[in-house]
Amino acid sequence: MITFLQNVLDALSLGSLYALTALGIGLIFGVLKLINFAHGDFITFGAYALIIPSSADVAQVLVGGWSWELLIPTVCIAVIAIALASDYLVFRPLRGASPPTLMAASFALSYVIQNAIMVIYGARPKSVNLWPVLGDQTHVGPLTIPNLNLVTIAVTLALMVGMTIVLRRTSVGIQMRAAAEDFRMARYLGVRADLVIGLAFVISGALAAVAALLLVAQTGSLTQTMGQPIALFAFIATVVGGMGSLAGAVVGGFVIGAIVIMFQAYLPPDLRAFRDAFAFAFVILVLVAKPSGLLRAKGLVERV
Amino acid sequence: MSDARSAAVAFLRAAWTPAALVAALLAVVVVASALGAEGGQVAITEMLIRVVVVIGIYVFAGNSGILSFGHIGFMCIGAYAAGWAACDPEWKGLMLTGLPAFLAEHRYPMPVAVLGSAALGGVAATLFGMAITRLSGIAASIATFAFLVIVNSVYANWDTVTAGTSSMVGIPAVVGPWTSLLFAAIAIVVAYLFQISGYGLMLRASRDDAVAAASSGVDIRRLRLIAFGVSGAIVGAAGGVYAHFLGILTTDTFYLDLTFITIAMLIIGGIGSLTGAVVGVLFITLVIEVLRALEAGVTIGGAAIALPHGAQEVGLGVLMALVLIFRPQGIMGGQEVPSPFPPAGSGRLRAGRIPESENGKFVEPVR
């Protein structure tokens, strides 16, 4: 029972990371119908923003050494800047292009960011010790919980609540939801496209920055491909949850996190190496049973 | 007389595109051999194998309008299938204890091994295709990514069958420019025959307007599945040929980098036509070779210039983004090689341009 609870906490923590990422991907998809493959590289960029650009083997921490009140906004601003720059340089010229074209463009963008980071920082992994206090553990009764898991879950919940309030209560949030539902109709009714799209990239970038910090705190190392696996799982999460549904992206993220952790815990030991294969195969089975995902989004079925 | 003549013209008309493409590749091989550049043979062979891969992806993605990021998974499956067939039985007995007897105890020649690769690639694609053809276009694209991850994870960890954590060695490296040219020619002919067949035409119709095609009685799901199977078999065969070119296999070869390069080739050449697929491979190979040379360093007017390591990839990515922005239909714009035998009245042989809306799902109707 205790191990099961422990696993549930692990699943919640991993699911939080996937949910944050899937939400960032889902927001952009909702507004632009763009599957942003570069989201994982936004995360990587956020992590690299902690150190001084150089190809030396030992990382010199700059932003990473600041106090958290200063560090978090700085990394957020850095990632938001690259997200907005990506939109301006790549996606804005492609407004109105078909979803497969947009997807291919974001694939190219991802490749460019990843390799540009390699050109600037060198190919070797670097180690960064961010917030060592999070490595400690808290004991609650018989449970041993890494502080990082608690922080991850708490931060995710806070961001979800915050986003729900923004999306439901503020004017700009309601405009975003309207745009996600039917972009053309929303524009007819006076929603400013640039504002909504820009805001989607800002929020998506901020979510990527938070994911980056949680990831660095967890792994303590930087590589050019560090964001990729998370983004891959998050893509699958958006499909499982139901493409175009923001709640679906979050639910999908937690579902994938739970699947991965439970496979890790309960598969026979010699099959554990195949955990990811089982997780993804399971996801494909879910999709065969429910092709439009767990939460079906409105307004995505083409009407003739 | 006139019957024979018109039959000959009809044949020329039908055979023009594949013949022209094969001739172009032949010319590249001949010129490269004549120049005898160091390492040229290797680069040409790799390029021709990539022609097979990209054509394989094109058979599904080009005809159906659904981008696939998972085809390198079929290449991995095909390559390892060829490895199982062609490795030294002694080594297999030692390292790959999980293989069935007919593979573990025998060694098969390259053509048999490659046939096996194509068969396994085709079967895997058909099975996986049954799942993804149920999804909408864009969700299907993401699901193909899931497939790539599954294949990579399984092949990297299944030690008794793939020597996952180490690598599979001792496959006879018998493939050179001429053998790979033969396979490229076969791929071109197969892809072209598929594209002008009833299946190909109906699938293209569904790509251009899914609703109209479905209401004309086109069974889109079934056609997508057939195309997926055929394209999986072609890419699987390419994997088998690649195994006989490399002689040594690791799963890292068949992952995101190769996926990116092949997708970039297809999109930059033009996803809407077979010619686009071939032109894309030729063009991007040239670009990569030039950037690689620049990374190694060149001397211009006494000044040595060398791009930093990784500049090749950045350049390729920027090029792909630029093509998507300024020429979204790619270099060929969905057209085949211009033919000197214009079709008389029949539009049967002309591959249409892809309209702006490639796959009906999320595209708003143009009014």
Side-chain angles (χ1 to χ4, degrees):
Chain A
M1 189 61 201
I2 297 302
T3 21
F4 178 74
L5 281 179
Q6 203 90 50
N7 287 329
V8 168
L9 277 169
D10 284 348
L12 277 176
S13 161
L14 187 66
S16 297
L17 209 52
Y18 290 157
L20 282 178
T21 313
L23 191 58
I25 293 167
L27 264 177
I28 300 287
F29 179 80
V31 176
L32 280 181
K33 300 294 170 272
L34 156 68
I35 304 285
N36 187 13
F37 277 122
H39 195 82
D41 303 284
F42 290 173
I43 293 177
T44 311
F45 183 84
Y48 273 87
L50 293 170
I51 62 172
I52 296 172
S54 111
S55 57
D57 286 349
V58 180
Q60 292 285 320
V61 175
L62 177 67
V63 180
W66 296 356
S67 68
W68 65 272
E69 301 95 322
L70 212 54
L71 186 155
I72 294 173
T74 312
V75 172
C76 280
I77 287 167
V79 181
I80 288 169
I82 196 173
L84 288 175
S86 302
D87 178 43
Y88 185 77
L89 292 173
V90 181
F91 301 124
R92 185 168 295 218
L94 285 171
R95 293 275 193 273
S98 65
T101 306
L102 287 169
M103 185 159 49
S106 76
F107 199 41
L109 176 68
S110 150
Y111 200 66
V112 169
I113 296 177
Q114 209 179 96
N115 285 290
I117 288 177
M118 191 176 83
V119 169
I120 298 168
Y121 291 90
R124 295 210 186 133
K126 292 166 195 279
S127 67
V128 168
N129 193 3
L130 181 69
W131 297 328
V133 65
L134 294 184
D136 297 346
Q137 293 171 330
T138 303
H139 297 276
V140 182
L143 287 176
T144 309
I145 312 165
N147 285 347
L148 181 61
N149 283 11
L150 290 177
V151 170
T152 305
I153 297 169
V155 165
T156 306
L157 282 180
L159 282 173
M160 301 290 161
V161 171
M163 282 215 25
T164 311
I165 292 171
V166 169
L167 287 174
R168 297 216 169 260
R169 293 273 178 265
T170 66
S171 159
V172 73
I174 291 168
Q175 290 183 40
M176 277 193 77
R177 280 168 55 221
E181 194 114 325
D182 186 337
F183 197 60
R184 174 187 286 219
M185 192 62 206
R187 289 188 72 179
Y188 286 153
L189 296 176
V191 170
R192 280 175 50 210
D194 285 343
L195 175 76
V196 169
I197 292 171
L199 192 69
F201 274 101
V202 167
I203 299 178
S204 178
L207 289 172
V210 173
L213 292 173
L214 291 171
L215 192 62
V216 174
Q218 189 187 358
T219 63
S221 73
L222 305 178
T223 65
Q224 309 92 342
T225 52
M226 61 187 289
Q228 224 166 42
I230 297 195
L232 268 179
F233 279 100
F235 284 126
I236 303 299
T238 59
V239 179
V240 169
M243 298 210 64
S245 156
L246 292 182
V250 174
V251 170
F254 281 108
V255 167
I256 302 281
I259 291 174
V260 169
I261 293 292
M262 293 306 161
F263 272 135
Q264 170 75 26
Y266 296 109
L267 276 178
D270 47 339
L271 284 182
R272 264 178 215 164
F274 300 103
R275 180 195 74 190
D276 290 358
F278 276 105
F280 279 69
F282 182 80
V283 163
I284 289 175
L285 284 181
V286 169
L287 290 176
V288 170
K290 277 182 92 76
S292 48
L294 297 173
L295 303 183
R296 194 191 164 91
K298 278 174 262 169
L300 274 186
V301 184
E302 188 192 23
R303 268 170 287 173
V304 183
Chain B
M1 171 65 197
S2 79
D3 265 7
R5 190 160 174 276
S6 65
V9 169
F11 175 77
L12 278 175
R13 203 174 276 153
W16 167 254
T17 300
L21 292 176
V22 173
L25 292 180
L26 179 68
V28 171
V29 175
V30 170
V31 169
S33 307
L35 291 175
E38 198 182 326
Q41 301 279 317
V42 171
I44 292 290
T45 309
E46 187 155 35
M47 180 192 83
L48 289 168
I49 295 170
R50 282 180 179 171
V51 166
V52 183
V53 178
V54 174
I55 286 176
I57 302 174
Y58 160 77
V59 165
F60 178 71
N63 290 318
S64 74
I66 301 172
L67 215 47
S68 164
F69 298 96
H71 272 69
I72 296 305
F74 300 124
M75 192 178 176
C76 182
I77 289 173
Y80 274 86
W84 295 330
C87 266
D88 185 357
E90 229 170 276
W91 186 82
K92 281 191 279 196
L94 219 59
M95 296 293 293
L96 308 181
T97 48
L99 284 184
F102 80 99
L103 286 174
E105 290 161 13
H106 299 90
R107 186 171 206 173
Y108 298 89
M110 194 267 280
V112 179
V114 171
L115 268 183
S117 308
L120 204 59
V123 169
T126 308
L127 289 177
F128 176 60
M130 285 176 183
I132 67 140
T133 47
R134 290 171 56 84
L135 305 176
S136 75
I138 207 118
S141 287
I142 296 183
T144 59
F145 239 125
F147 176 75
L148 183 66
V149 176
I150 293 175
V151 171
N152 187 267
S153 159
V154 168
Y155 276 66
N157 291 300
W158 200 4
D159 284 337
T160 55
V161 174
T162 62
T165 38
S166 49
S167 47
M168 193 186 261
V169 293
I171 305 160
V174 292
V175 169
W178 295 104
T179 324
S180 51
L181 177 65
L182 176 70
F183 281 102
I186 294 173
I188 288 172
V189 171
V190 170
Y192 190 69
L193 287 178
F194 180 80
Q195 159 176 335
I196 62 170
S197 72
Y199 294 136
L201 291 176
M202 284 192 281
L203 191 57
R204 285 172 161 254
S206 78
R207 171 197 72 188
D208 295 345
D209 191 332
V211 176
S215 58
S216 313
V218 172
D219 184 348
I220 300 178
R221 218 179 257 178
R222 186 170 142 262
L223 287 169
R224 283 180 180 172
L225 181 58
I226 293 170
F228 204 68
V230 172
S231 86
I234 295 176
V235 176
V241 178
Y242 201 42
H244 282 89
F245 162 70
L246 294 174
I248 175 169
L249 291 177
T250 51
T251 46
D252 289 351
T253 317
F254 306 98
Y255 207 40
L256 292 170
D257 280 343
L258 192 54
T259 300
F260 176 79
I261 289 176
T262 47
I263 296 279
M265 286 171 163
L266 184 57
I267 284 174
I268 290 172
I271 197 169
S273 70
L274 181 58
T275 309
V278 176
V279 167
V281 179
L282 294 178
F283 179 66
I284 294 303
T285 304
L286 186 68
V287 170
I288 290 178
E289 289 302 319
V290 169
L291 287 170
R292 208 173 265 169
L294 289 177
E295 272 184 12
V298 286
T299 316
I300 301 170
I305 305 170
L307 294 177
H309 185 64
Q312 174 202 328
E313 286 82 2
V314 174
L316 192 59
V318 171
L319 180 69
M320 178 165 156
L322 289 176
V323 166
L324 283 166
I325 291 168
F326 294 106
R327 197 170 163 82
Q329 312 290 330
I331 296 172
M332 291 306 296
Q335 300 295 312
E336 299 295 356
V337 195
S339 169
F341 311 101
S346 135
R348 194 175 141 76
L349 300 177
R350 269 179 299 175
R353 291 176 67 91
I354 313 181
E356 278 304 303
S357 54
E358 283 178 24
N359 113 49
K361 275 304 173 212
F362 302 116
V363 178
E364 296 173 71
V366 181
R367 294 189 208 284

